[in-house]
Amino acid sequence: MPVKESEILEAVRGDDVPQMQVDALIALVGDMELHGRDRSDPMREIPARIGDRWSLLLLLLLRIGSFRHATLKRLVAATSAEGEISQRMLTLRLRTLERDGLIDRTVTPSIPPRVDYAITGLGLSLLERVESLMDWVRENNPAIRASRDRFDALGED
Amino acid sequence: MPVKESEILEAVRGDDVPQMQVDALIALVGDMELHGRDRSDPMREIPARIGDRWSLLLLLLLRIGSFRHATLKRLVAATSAEGEISQRMLTLRLRTLERDGLIDRTVTPSIPPRVDYAITGLGLSLLERVESLMDWVRENNPAIRASRDRFDALGED
DNA sequence: CTGTATCCCGTATGATACTG
DNA sequence: CAGTATCATACGGGATACAG
């Protein structure tokens, strides 16, 4: 029996866990890709990008059109509720998105240089799934806020 | 004209941006909920939870069944590719998930005390959308890895 | 068993200055 | 313009000890 499997049996021992659930837990481990093999696994990093401060906004902007580095910086400042993005983070996030194949970077050698960023097909298809997630949040925003209010009210006693 | 709108016009001035794209950019700002009003907005925090180290795994486990605090800690160790979760983070993540209404916490006063965690309908419906995102990553994992390899190879010259 | 309190570290992010 | 380098800061996360 695999090590992980015996770990699961050990983990639930003493609790009254139905065999069906034990099987489901084992299946969860069996498909390691479900939660990612390690922290550099796309299965972990893509959701992390969606959750970080700037990547998603950059993808949303680049879905509208291709923009230059400096233009993108100004557009972030104009569209984000959180203010400006530092030049450093703009470069870092764009590099990571490019590395994962979600956006393209095109350099036009000239003086001054010109660099354009564009979303890729891969990036577009990712945005579709993320939109579905964002739709869920929009729909359930009131429920989440209500739950938070209830939770916070209890702590004030 | 709203402030943000003129900021956008300013941002793209000099670049040859079609009117359609300008309109789309303005629409993006118009719907502030699209990207969230601030960092405590569910629109920002829910994706952040999906991207953090433990929340998603906890939801996946609780979808299989309801478990006690200590059991959950052992199950994370048994199923995660990243090893154990600290007691501190387990409590913090569970509290946040509970506060947002994604899981329920049931206390049974006894000695020793017993606390069970269960996923809610809200949590289940969120997981459906997240599954769709995870499916995308699974499907496109090879493409992403290939893109990374290409990108990294260029830097080695 | 189910937490809370403290201290510590690594990484994401920011501010500023400098370069081709 | 499009970066890079350097230093500074905030926060997620971990280790350990302690409490009801």
Side-chain angles (χ1 to χ4, degrees):
Chain A
M1 182 166 56
V3 177
K4 287 290 192 183
E5 202 168 319
S6 61
E7 267 188 68
I8 288 178
L9 294 179
E10 187 65 24
V12 299
R13 185 161 61 180
D15 298 340
D16 196 34
V17 177
Q19 184 61 36
M20 260 189 62
Q21 295 187 5
V22 175
D23 293 342
L25 290 167
I26 291 172
L28 188 65
V29 176
D31 186 7
M32 285 307 284
E33 282 191 355
L34 191 62
H35 190 241
R37 290 191 178 76
D38 55 65
R39 266 194 263 190
S40 71
D41 192 312
M43 189 64 68
R44 308 302 308 279
E45 291 207 326
I46 297 296
R49 286 319 112 211
I50 302 307
D52 77 25
R53 197 169 173 181
W54 306 111
S55 300
L56 177 55
L57 177 58
L58 290 172
L59 287 176
L60 290 172
L61 288 171
L62 291 174
R63 181 170 59 175
I64 292 175
S66 301
F67 299 108
R68 305 181 63 176
H69 182 96
T71 306
L72 223 30
K73 187 170 190 308
R74 287 189 297 265
L75 282 177
V76 167
T79 54
S80 168
E82 296 192 54
E84 300 205 2
I85 182 175
S86 64
Q87 201 159 21
R88 179 179 138 80
M89 287 314 299
L90 178 57
T91 300
L92 282 178
R93 291 296 129 227
L94 289 172
R95 279 295 139 76
T96 303
L97 293 173
E98 183 198 0
R99 178 169 182 267
D100 283 351
L102 301 174
I103 66 175
D104 271 335
R105 177 171 174 271
T106 307
V107 181
T108 307
S110 58
I111 298 179
R114 176 194 178 98
V115 179
D116 286 273
Y117 292 90
I119 199 164
T120 62
L122 196 65
L124 278 174
S125 69
L126 171 60
L127 270 190
E128 283 178 29
R129 305 297 177 104
V130 177
E131 283 280 340
S132 157
L133 179 61
M134 294 170 71
D135 288 342
W136 183 92
V137 179
R138 235 189 312 275
E139 290 163 20
N140 295 280
N141 207 312
I144 295 171
R145 290 180 181 280
S147 176
R148 288 184 179 183
D149 289 344
R150 253 178 285 124
F151 185 93
D152 295 343
L154 292 180
E156 286 169 3
D157 303 338
Chain B
M1 183 167 56
V3 176
K4 287 289 190 184
E5 200 167 320
S6 62
E7 266 187 70
I8 288 178
L9 294 178
E10 187 65 25
V12 299
R13 185 162 61 179
D15 298 339
D16 197 34
V17 177
Q19 185 60 37
M20 261 188 60
Q21 295 187 4
V22 174
D23 294 341
L25 289 167
I26 291 171
L28 187 65
V29 176
D31 185 8
M32 285 306 285
E33 282 191 357
L34 190 62
H35 188 240
R37 290 192 176 75
D38 55 65
R39 265 194 263 191
S40 71
D41 192 311
M43 188 64 70
R44 307 301 308 279
E45 291 207 326
I46 296 296
R49 286 317 113 212
I50 301 308
D52 76 25
R53 196 169 173 181
W54 306 112
S55 301
L56 177 54
L57 178 57
L58 290 172
L59 287 176
L60 290 172
L61 288 171
L62 290 174
R63 181 171 58 175
I64 292 175
S66 300
F67 299 108
R68 304 180 64 175
H69 182 96
T71 306
L72 222 31
K73 188 171 189 305
R74 288 189 297 265
L75 282 177
V76 167
T79 54
S80 168
E82 296 192 54
E84 300 205 2
I85 182 176
S86 64
Q87 204 158 22
R88 177 180 134 82
M89 288 314 299
L90 178 58
T91 299
L92 281 178
R93 291 299 124 217
L94 289 172
R95 280 294 141 75
T96 304
L97 293 172
E98 183 198 1
R99 179 169 182 266
D100 284 351
L102 301 174
I103 66 176
D104 271 336
R105 177 172 175 272
T106 307
V107 181
T108 307
S110 58
I111 297 178
R114 176 195 177 97
V115 179
D116 286 273
Y117 292 90
I119 199 164
T120 62
L122 197 64
L124 278 174
S125 70
L126 171 59
L127 269 190
E128 283 179 29
R129 305 299 177 102
V130 177
E131 283 279 339
S132 157
L133 179 61
M134 294 170 73
D135 288 342
W136 183 93
V137 179
R138 237 189 311 276
E139 290 163 19
N140 295 281
N141 208 312
I144 295 170
R145 289 180 182 280
S147 177
R148 287 183 179 184
D149 289 344
R150 253 178 284 123
F151 186 92
D152 295 343
L154 293 180
E156 288 170 3
D157 304 340

